Amino acid sequence: MACASNYFALVAKPNWRLLQYRVDMSPDIDHTGVRKALLYHHKATLPKFMFDGTVLFTTTRLNPNDAPIVLTSTREHDKATVTITIKLVGEVQPTDYHYMQFFNIVLRSAMEKMQLELIRRNYYDPKASITLGQYKLELWPGYVTSIRQHESQILLCCEISHKILRTDTVLDQIEEVHKRTGGAGSFHASVEKALLGAIVITRYNNKTYRIDEIDWNKHPTDEFEGRNNEKMSYQKYYTERYNRSIRDPKQPLIVSMPKVRDERGGVSGPIYLIPELCNMTGLSEEQRANFQLMKALGDYTRQDPKKRCETLKKFSERINTNQEIQTELTAWNLQFSRDLEQFRARILPPEVILGSGSSKATYQLENADWGTCFRKWNSFSVQSCTKWAVVCASRDEAATKEFITSLTKVAPSLGMTMNKPKMFPLPDNRPASYIQALDRVIECNPSIVMVVVPNNKGDHYAAVKKKCCLEKPVPSQVVTATVLSKPKGLMSVATKVAVQMNCKLGGEPWAVKIPLTDTMVIGYDTYHDTSQKGRSVGAVVASMNSTFTKYLSVANLHTNPAQELNDNMCPAIAKALRKYAEINGNLPARIIMYRDGVGDGQIPYVMEHEIAAIQNCFRAAGLTDDQLLFTYIIVSKRINTRFFKMGGKPSNPPSGTIVDDVVTLPERYDFFLVSQSVRQGTVNPTSYNVIKDTSGLKPNHLQKLTYKLTHLYYNWPGTVRVPAPCQYAHKLAFLVGESLHKEPSEQLEQVLYYL
């Protein structure tokens, strides 16, 4: 298939040698801006250079004999003399990290010439901002860019991004909480819960900060020490410096701790901000739940392939036609291609979905979804649902009974037997009533409990799950009453719930043909605990049979990477190996691990520590290196690469598209796979980076296996973005980090109770 990607090639290659110099100043100056200004005083006498504050790049030797150069400048604000020493570090090789750093500095200066604003790491265009007045939101379109050496050439990756700015201030948020709590005792705690960790932007200088604490004892009328040791109130400072007046002198101040980078830039100690002058960024939970708002946003942010290609072309036009940028690029002898990088991609054939007996289903290449086949389907394996209970508030009783009738209707078409459940109506819908009822219900020893909760606000859900996953382990199915009260689509909801209940009881709805024997696939993902900062949940989900349809799931909490490895991941893998041997009578001969939740920066840590620890764990279980075939793959969903199917107008590549050349990296054994089909916007590929592989499988076998595994996530009758074990691990880690905050009971590990 002809395929294009959001990359532009560097066509005019520089024919120069790039030299790197180190710049030291005495007295020492921390502030990057000041350092740049002091060196730029000598722009006329130095050849063309690029300077980022510490490293200077140029293509001309500053001194024929390479001795250090010493210059002097006068500092503006105190007229002190600063001595600048420039020492040659050496010539930068094209394979060197600094070589790419140079290109990225050139690109940043080009973006600044396009009058874009830098917010955190990306450039946005406030002039093209879109205002959604009725939702108090503003959207700034922008670009995420990076330049890297890919398989055969240097490519510039450009992804369209949007910054969501809210027009409400932090003070508005505080006032809203005040209205809700009436300023009672829990007021401070409620404000902290709502704001801590949120990112805010100060519109007077477009800088972003994280709220680390709220200082209730400090106010805008308080004074601080200015530059020349003079005392000045915050109020006066903002009026004089930014021409901003403050209307509420009694508001508390927000505290933001400087990041490591800022400390290098000369910021010491906490930064105090005025709530009234800080705008919230991102979306609140309420805004996310507002369907109309999300739809209005999606119209701008979810661009389809055609629109996205046009936006990218516009970007390359801007770079190639702006005179100022061209002059600079020509001076360095650089030139970017005007067109998107094009190449050939391979497409894997659609899989056949297997049920039991003669049940089979296929799907269209352009839409990997087989939900329609459940009208007549024999599940791969079923567990009968004979003794079960339903708990609901009495006001939802009629809707619940209606739903159970639908359930018993659809169950036979999935090959399930479902008897009538025992009903437990409640007088009211307080979470406490549910808990008391559950205690009574679980005494009767049902195989599964269905709980109808009033809404998806979370309190009821968390209470029910804590009871059923921690205290008295039993598979539980939570349904919200809002879903049941809509008669339209009730049958399809019932089908989905029936499939889910079958899984929670230990059934297998469908399978695909995977011709690997004695193989275990492990998925691992992490999720940050919402109740306690610094705690994370890691989940290991390992396959237990030859069809990869039964799993052992273990979740643990940890506070640092070393603990994650030694106390969580390794014991969980050891447990999975014991269980596998117990079920199959032998240990697996081949283990394939898909590891999610690793950023690019953590790859060295993973290679040095994690893989070694896992292999020790295999040895301890009795698998020696020479008899075990081990593959370790890092899965990345948050990537900026996009693909477009060309030939006619740009469209989304079909599910099963594999790209393993041109835009992949030369130092990695990696590939991109598009596994899901999307109805709107541009499809996101997933990147797979094979870090270790002793399996002897060919790359296309590994790619095929990965694609097959994206078909086995039972919460969705279609393909998902990552292999099923990873998606299960994510779902489990999410349940523990969001609702349970404790490790779930061992009794449920062999069923997918967390779906």
Side-chain angles (χ1 to χ4, degrees):
M1 177 183 84
C3 182
S5 184
N6 56 337
Y7 287 85
F8 298 97
L10 191 65
V11 278
K13 278 276 183 41
N15 51 2
W16 31 252
R17 300 163 66 182
L18 187 61
L19 300 164
Q20 181 190 349
Y21 287 85
R22 183 195 158 94
V23 179
D24 289 301
M25 300 193 177
S26 110
D28 202 15
I29 294 163
D30 285 334
H31 195 283
T32 310
V34 177
R35 292 174 68 93
K36 282 185 174 176
L38 290 170
L39 186 68
Y40 280 119
H41 283 206
H42 301 280
K43 205 170 170 179
T45 56
L46 292 169
K48 183 161 179 61
F49 65 84
M50 266 290 171
F51 179 53
D52 71 348
T54 43
V55 183
L56 178 142
F57 293 108
T58 175
T59 54
T60 319
R61 280 204 142 69
L62 298 184
N63 211 345
N65 61 358
D66 290 338
I69 286 186
V70 181
L71 306 165
T72 53
S73 292
T74 310
R75 190 159 47 178
E76 284 298 313
H77 72 92
D78 59 355
K79 302 291 178 247
T81 303
V82 178
T83 311
I84 305 172
T85 314
I86 308 176
K87 288 195 198 91
L88 178 69
V89 178
E91 185 179 334
V92 185
Q93 296 305 321
T95 51
D96 202 29
Y97 159 75
H98 287 290
Y99 197 76
M100 285 300 133
Q101 188 191 6
F102 164 75
F103 284 119
N104 282 301
I105 295 172
V106 173
L107 182 64
R108 287 190 164 251
S109 93
M111 303 284 264
E112 271 155 22
K113 289 188 171 68
M114 293 194 314
Q115 276 138 15
L116 300 178
E117 292 261 1
L118 180 64
I119 299 185
R120 296 203 111 147
R121 291 195 174 161
N122 304 326
Y123 282 91
Y124 294 93
D125 192 349
K127 289 197 184 63
S129 76
I130 300 150
T131 314
L132 299 171
Q134 73 266 46
Y135 302 118
K136 299 188 175 169
L137 290 180
E138 207 177 301
L139 273 180
W140 287 12
Y143 305 106
V144 182
T145 55
S146 71
I147 297 183
R148 272 182 107 152
Q149 171 69 50
H150 288 267
E151 294 295 356
S152 55
Q153 55 205 41
I154 293 174
L155 299 177
L156 154 63
C157 173
C158 175
E159 165 62 343
I160 314 297
S161 151
H162 286 85
K163 189 93 196 148
I164 298 177
L165 303 179
R166 285 160 47 182
T167 49
D168 57 333
T169 64
V170 177
L171 185 59
D172 296 340
Q173 292 283 314
I174 296 177
E175 284 169 354
E176 213 163 281
V177 176
H178 191 272
K179 256 191 237 150
R180 258 206 331 263
T181 58
S186 64
F187 168 56
H188 284 192
S190 306
V191 170
E192 279 164 11
K193 187 171 187 241
L195 293 180
L196 291 190
I199 306 283
V200 297
I201 183 168
T202 45
R203 296 296 287 268
Y204 47 82
N205 60 0
N206 281 331
K207 273 198 173 152
T208 54
Y209 301 92
R210 197 175 80 211
I211 302 181
D212 289 312
E213 55 182 291
I214 294 165
D215 193 330
W216 297 97
N217 303 323
K218 266 193 163 30
H219 306 289
T221 46
D222 291 12
E223 295 190 322
F224 66 98
E225 256 182 40
R227 277 223 170 122
N228 310 334
N229 296 342
E230 59 186 324
K231 292 263 188 212
M232 190 178 206
S233 75
Y234 290 98
Q235 211 158 351
K236 189 175 169 205
Y237 171 78
Y238 282 103
T239 312
E240 286 182 7
R241 173 122 190 236
Y242 296 112
N243 193 14
R244 297 287 164 112
S245 55
I246 293 167
R247 64 180 169 85
D248 181 354
K250 291 211 168 66
Q251 58 188 309
L253 297 189
I254 299 172
V255 185
S256 178
M257 290 321 227
K259 307 185 200 68
V260 180
R261 306 189 31 183
D262 298 333
E263 282 174 358
R264 277 192 232 125
V267 180
S268 62
I271 303 160
Y272 287 96
L273 303 166
I274 314 275
E276 194 179 316
L277 300 180
C278 298
N279 286 59
M280 305 292 291
T281 63
L283 293 168
S284 67
E285 287 303 311
E286 279 151 64
Q287 287 173 314
R288 277 183 198 287
N290 179 340
F291 179 76
Q292 251 34 57
L293 179 154
M294 294 310 279
K295 189 172 176 302
L297 266 185
D299 293 343
Y300 296 103
T301 56
R302 277 198 299 265
Q303 300 186 346
D304 61 11
K306 183 168 170 282
K307 181 105 198 308
R308 199 170 280 253
C309 284
E310 284 164 12
T311 316
L312 288 167
K313 285 257 169 56
K314 208 148 103 199
F315 168 77
S316 88
E317 287 301 311
R318 277 174 92 169
I319 278 193
N320 283 306
T321 51
N322 181 320
Q323 240 6 78
E324 224 184 322
I325 297 176
Q326 275 310 304
T327 316
E328 171 128 320
L329 291 178
T330 317
W332 293 110
N333 193 15
L334 298 175
Q335 181 69 43
F336 288 107
S337 154
R338 287 192 169 212
D339 298 315
L340 299 174
E341 193 59 24
Q342 298 217 13
F343 45 85
R344 310 284 302 168
R346 288 181 294 123
I347 301 173
L348 299 175
E351 291 291 324
V352 177
I353 308 300
L354 310 171
S356 69
S358 60
S359 269
K360 273 199 183 83
T362 51
Y363 54 86
Q364 251 69 49
L365 185 64
E366 48 283 344
N367 187 13
D369 183 338
W370 52 91
T372 50
C373 71
F374 291 146
R375 297 196 180 114
K376 188 173 180 306
W377 183 252
N378 285 326
S379 296
F380 195 68
S381 82
V382 281
Q383 296 292 332
S384 57
C385 191
T386 44
K387 186 182 176 187
W388 61 297
V390 176
V391 177
C392 65
S394 48
R395 51 182 265 201
D396 301 322
E397 200 174 347
T400 306
K401 281 188 170 149
E402 181 106 352
F403 180 64
I404 290 164
T405 314
S406 305
L407 258 185
T408 39
K409 259 191 215 149
V410 298
S413 64
L414 293 163
M416 282 176 77
T417 38
M418 194 176 275
N419 294 358
K420 261 201 136 72
K422 194 167 171 131
M423 299 282 289
F424 289 83
L426 306 175
D428 57 53
N429 60 12
R430 297 199 329 274
S433 316
Y434 278 92
I435 298 307
Q436 287 156 6
L438 277 173
D439 279 331
R440 295 206 310 278
V441 172
I442 298 170
E443 293 297 289
C444 315
N445 211 2
S447 53
I448 188 165
V449 182
M450 179 185 280
V451 183
V452 180
V453 297
N455 53 33
N456 52 6
K457 285 286 182 286
D459 306 348
H460 293 82
Y461 183 78
V464 170
K465 287 298 178 193
K466 276 184 179 138
K467 178 60 80 185
C468 299
C469 299
L470 303 172
E471 296 164 35
K472 299 191 171 175
V474 61
S476 56
Q477 177 70 43
V478 176
V479 190
T480 54
T482 37
V483 174
L484 302 189
S485 56
K486 293 185 189 127
K488 190 170 157 267
L490 200 61
M491 284 312 256
S492 70
V493 171
T495 310
K496 285 175 183 157
V497 170
V499 171
Q500 225 176 9
M501 286 168 70
N502 186 19
C503 288
K504 290 179 179 181
L505 291 164
E508 303 145 282
W510 65 83
V512 292
K513 189 176 171 209
I514 302 182
L516 281 177
T517 51
D518 288 342
T519 304
M520 175 193 269
V521 174
I522 302 175
Y524 185 89
D525 201 356
T526 49
Y527 186 77
H528 299 297
D529 189 342
T530 51
S531 72
Q532 204 178 328
K533 212 170 149 195
R535 256 204 334 182
S536 295
V537 184
V540 172
V541 174
S543 67
M544 289 287 130
N545 62 358
S546 62
T547 48
F548 306 100
T549 50
K550 278 204 166 316
Y551 297 92
L552 180 83
S553 317
V554 186
N556 297 41
L557 294 130
H558 55 263
T559 48
N560 62 24
Q563 185 196 356
E564 172 176 16
L565 261 186
N566 308 325
D567 303 356
N568 297 7
M569 194 188 278
C570 290
I573 290 174
K575 188 182 216 174
L577 289 169
R578 283 199 302 275
K579 205 77 194 167
Y580 186 95
E582 196 180 298
I583 295 170
N584 298 287
N586 60 319
L587 284 167
R590 181 194 306 265
I591 294 179
I592 298 165
M593 178 154 173
Y594 289 96
R595 168 76 154 96
D596 207 335
V598 182
D600 261 8
Q602 295 159 299
I603 293 178
Y605 176 85
V606 164
M607 292 175 83
E608 280 165 41
H609 300 92
E610 194 167 300
I611 293 180
I614 292 170
Q615 285 182 296
N616 283 338
C617 172
F618 293 156
R619 287 182 204 112
L623 288 163
T624 55
D625 292 4
D626 53 339
Q627 64 182 133
L628 174 73
L629 306 168
F630 177 48
T631 310
Y632 183 100
I633 305 173
I634 290 180
V635 181
S636 315
K637 299 188 292 292
R638 293 188 181 172
I639 54 173
N640 293 323
T641 306
R642 296 284 178 272
F643 299 124
F644 312 106
K645 181 180 173 183
M646 299 311 270
K649 70 170 197 191
S651 59
N652 277 319
S655 172
T657 301
I658 294 270
V659 174
D660 57 5
D661 196 11
V662 184
V663 293
T664 44
L665 297 173
E667 70 274 13
R668 291 186 184 175
Y669 168 8
D670 60 345
F671 61 93
F672 293 101
L673 166 66
V674 172
S675 52
Q676 96 271 47
S677 308
V678 295
R679 293 210 181 98
Q680 48 196 31
T682 307
V683 71
N684 282 337
T686 305
S687 147
Y688 296 89
N689 178 9
V690 184
I691 298 265
K692 184 170 181 67
D693 182 29
T694 60
S695 70
L697 286 174
K698 293 191 181 121
N700 70 330
H701 289 155
L702 211 47
Q703 292 163 358
K704 271 188 178 151
L705 170 72
T706 304
Y707 184 50
K708 282 174 185 287
L709 287 169
T710 62
H711 291 70
L712 293 175
Y713 180 64
Y714 294 139
N715 242 359
W716 171 248
T719 51
V720 287
R721 261 192 88 175
V722 293
C726 270
Q727 190 68 31
Y728 289 132
H730 166 75
K731 191 88 168 113
L732 173 57
F734 179 81
L735 171 72
V736 176
E738 227 14 75
S739 309
L740 300 180
H741 312 300
K742 271 207 192 88
E743 285 154 27
S745 155
E746 286 194 333
Q747 293 175 31
L748 295 169
E749 306 183 316
Q750 289 190 63
V751 293
L752 301 168
Y753 62 90
Y754 43 82
L755 279 185

